[in-house]
Amino acid sequence: MGAHHDAGLVVAALNMAAVTRGGDVAGVIFHSDRGSEYTSAEFARACARWKVRQSMGRVGSCFDNAVAEARPPSPPSRSSTSTAGSSARAPRRV
């Protein structure tokens, strides 16, 4: 998609995500750090065009991202090589 992590790259990623979802992204909250690519006027225009709300953590606070990045653990799954009646399970991925 791009050789450098810059405003053009994150705008392209936002556009691809929006198009993949059929353009129905109005009201979505995009949480990021305060990197220059996310604070650029180019990215702000792209968010406004898609009606995506920008959210950024406070300067120097890693805890702002904790809720946005948290997700429940995946449920355990059975190994594809297990046999019927076997109690062996695949390791749980978290």
Side-chain angles (χ1 to χ4, degrees):
M1 188 153 57
H4 301 285
H5 191 81
D6 57 11
L9 178 66
V10 296
V11 167
L14 177 62
N15 290 337
M16 287 177 63
V19 170
T20 298
R21 287 158 182 78
D24 185 22
V25 293
V28 167
I29 299 171
F30 188 104
H31 185 78
S32 68
D33 60 20
R34 292 187 173 272
S36 61
E37 63 274 21
Y38 302 110
T39 58
S40 69
E42 183 181 358
F43 186 67
R45 282 191 301 273
C47 287
R49 182 173 49 252
W50 290 110
K51 296 181 175 62
V52 168
R53 183 175 163 200
Q54 285 185 270
S55 165
M56 294 183 191
R58 292 175 294 194
V59 174
S61 177
C62 62
F63 300 109
D64 283 350
N65 290 335
V67 173
E69 294 174 357
R71 64 181 175 121
S74 301
S77 61
R78 294 192 180 261
S79 171
S80 60
T81 59
S82 67
T83 58
S86 172
S87 63
R89 291 188 180 207
R92 186 172 176 180
R93 295 179 67 183
V94 178

